[in-house]
Amino acid sequence: FRAFDSDGDGRIGCTEMYSALLWLGLHLTPSQVQDFIRQMSTGPTGYVNFVEFKAALSDPELGDADPLNGGDNTDASAVHSQAKAILGSAGRTVNDEDPFGLVSAAGGQDGDDGGSGSGGLFQRIVINQQRIAELSEVDSRYETEKEGVIEVSVLRDVKFRLVKHTAFNKLWTTRSLKTVVWGASVWAPDTELAWYSRLGKTKELICLGHFGTRGYVDPHKVKDKVTGKNVDRLVLEITDTGVMGLSGKKRHKAIMSKVLPHPSRFHLVWSKTQGSKPLYVWAGVPPSRDFVSIGHICTSSSSPPPLESVRCAPRHWLTEATDEPRLVWEDSGTAGRSGSLWTVTSMNILVGTDSHNPPKGPFYEFMCNKWLCTSDFRAIPDFDK
């Protein structure tokens, strides 16, 4: 999808699909490609987003077993053979190690993507664009972008900022475990606001993950051993001064669902069931690749937490964190599967892993501490005091 999406706007149009298929050696007519996009696109724009792209290419009979849905890739050899047959018949030289030519087109070898992973490899592929008509130009059912310009405005009454948080609920401690290292505790941010802080406006605190500390002290009282200053635990605060009446609340809810959706499900990262109270560490699975789960959620039950307990953040609001993970606690000396808890990013948010080694990133944090949102849901820094 990244390779086909030549302008990086998160959607694929007829020109991009036509050019990408030519690049793969598949010669379809413009009308065939337009029919293809028409079948894949479920909205009025005539463009295909990642969710639609994935749904069109997934095998409904395989369901979750489909490799595109994270299933077992047992048919990889068959796919490899088909790729060689298609590209070979088009007169393309086929490399057994790289049948689609992705690595060579990116200018590198396997594992040589500048440390940015496969995403960086695909982003370096340049597919020459050969323009054909978009659906909005040949079919009146699809929206037209007048004169090629989309008007974007800034929603100045909706403000986002990271704030130091001071209210937490204790979820779990190591007190009942026979651990050979220091004790630790896990905390959830209390995001309920006092009534007086919401007068005349809608203000929300957003949970993006839980927090962990060495020892049993409330997180906002923990001090850095080097500087002696409190260690800040950050949450996202949203203030919407444009919310007035029912219509305003509906607008606010629509904005929240669009830019900060809940995960589609949870994945169990690690559990520690010894002691008087078990610990289960969960990672939210974002609804699409356009979003990121920043931190992990912890429970004392083997049942996944409610989807509403955490939100995901837009990938284009974020940047990769440069700080190394910082160890909170590891379970040396206890029974069961090994695991550990870590703090990541400048938000000092919690992640878990099923080993004593640092968790593998990348981890993400927001590009700035205060920002506004545009009508197309992009973030721009807010420099007002």
Side-chain angles (χ1 to χ4, degrees):
F1 184 86
R2 291 191 188 101
F4 284 21
D5 180 18
S6 64
D7 58 5
D9 66 351
R11 59 183 190 168
I12 297 172
C14 294
T15 291
E16 289 172 317
M17 181 65 74
Y18 179 74
S19 304
L21 294 177
L22 283 178
W23 178 75
L24 287 172
L26 303 175
H27 296 271
L28 276 68
T29 66
S31 61
Q32 287 175 322
V33 171
Q34 289 158 355
D35 286 340
F36 188 29
I37 293 292
R38 191 178 284 109
Q39 291 294 322
M40 295 176 73
S41 176
T42 60
T45 64
Y47 289 83
V48 177
N49 62 31
F50 174 75
V51 174
E52 295 165 337
F53 184 82
K54 180 179 175 181
L57 297 180
S58 299
D59 188 337
E61 295 184 1
L62 291 178
D64 289 340
D66 193 306
L68 284 176
N69 294 323
D72 183 21
N73 194 9
T74 53
D75 292 330
S77 59
V79 174
H80 181 276
S81 298
Q82 291 172 2
K84 291 181 65 177
I86 292 170
L87 299 183
S89 64
R92 295 270 299 272
T93 301
V94 180
N95 184 331
D96 286 339
E97 299 297 325
D98 181 25
F100 280 111
L102 297 179
V103 174
S104 58
Q109 299 298 322
D110 289 338
D112 180 20
D113 59 356
S116 60
S118 61
L121 180 149
F122 283 104
Q123 288 166 1
R124 290 200 299 271
I125 294 175
V126 177
I127 299 177
N128 293 327
Q129 299 297 293
Q130 300 193 32
R131 192 184 186 285
I132 64 172
E134 300 297 336
L135 286 186
S136 60
E137 299 175 75
V138 297
D139 193 329
S140 60
R141 292 177 299 172
Y142 294 92
E143 295 176 350
T144 300
E145 296 174 1
K146 296 180 180 179
E147 298 178 359
V149 176
I150 302 175
E151 183 178 348
V152 176
S153 59
V154 179
L155 306 176
R156 293 197 174 276
D157 49 4
V158 184
K159 298 190 176 186
F160 302 79
R161 67 170 183 156
L162 296 175
V163 296
K164 300 175 185 178
H165 200 53
T166 59
F168 299 89
N169 296 316
K170 187 185 294 183
L171 297 177
W172 179 84
T173 76
T174 61
R175 287 187 186 276
S176 62
L177 291 175
K178 296 179 179 179
T179 176
V180 298
V181 297
W182 55 86
S185 50
V186 173
W187 305 75
D190 185 348
T191 56
E192 288 297 320
L193 287 164
W195 64 270
Y196 53 80
S197 68
R198 299 195 299 264
L199 286 177
K201 55 190 173 185
T202 290
K203 181 180 287 187
E204 281 191 72
L205 295 176
I206 304 300
C207 177
L208 298 169
H210 288 168
F211 298 91
T213 65
R214 292 191 179 190
Y216 311 111
V217 180
D218 194 298
H220 84 281
K221 298 179 181 179
V222 174
K223 295 184 181 295
D224 186 280
K225 291 184 178 180
V226 177
T227 65
K229 297 180 179 179
N230 286 348
V231 177
D232 296 333
R233 318 283 170 168
L234 304 181
V235 298
L236 179 60
E237 178 189 83
I238 301 174
T239 303
D240 189 346
T241 57
V243 171
M244 296 293 291
L246 184 60
S247 61
K249 291 180 179 179
K250 286 183 177 179
R251 186 202 71 155
H252 178 79
K253 185 176 180 180
I255 292 174
M256 293 292 295
S257 298
K258 182 73 175 180
V259 301
L260 294 165
H262 298 296
S264 59
R265 60 185 176 87
F266 284 98
H267 162 68
L268 181 62
V269 176
W270 176 62
S271 63
K272 175 57 64 176
T273 57
Q274 288 72 34
S276 60
K277 190 175 185 179
L279 173 71
Y280 296 86
V281 182
W282 305 87
V285 178
S288 77
R289 291 189 181 182
D290 295 331
F291 298 93
V292 171
S293 289
I294 293 180
H296 289 170
I297 293 291
C298 299
T299 67
S300 57
S301 168
S302 59
S303 299
L307 296 178
E308 297 76 21
S309 60
V310 69
R311 288 186 181 270
C312 304
R315 187 179 294 273
H316 58 261
W317 288 13
L318 307 172
T319 185
E320 285 191 23
T322 56
D323 296 341
E324 295 293 328
R326 301 168 294 282
L327 179 64
V328 173
W329 180 76
E330 47 102 344
D331 67 342
S332 294
T334 66
R337 187 174 57 157
S338 297
S340 52
L341 302 174
W342 301 74
T343 289
V344 298
T345 80
S346 60
M347 296 180 67
N348 289 302
I349 209 161
L350 182 75
V351 298
T353 182
D354 57 356
S355 76
H356 291 168
N357 298 320
K360 296 180 179 179
F363 302 106
Y364 294 90
E365 56 190 2
F366 292 98
M367 293 182 179
C368 52
N369 289 329
K370 293 173 60 181
W371 63 97
L372 301 172
C373 182
T374 63
S375 56
D376 63 345
F377 303 107
R378 296 279 167 174
I380 59 173
D382 179 12
F383 297 110
D384 293 339
K385 293 184 179 179

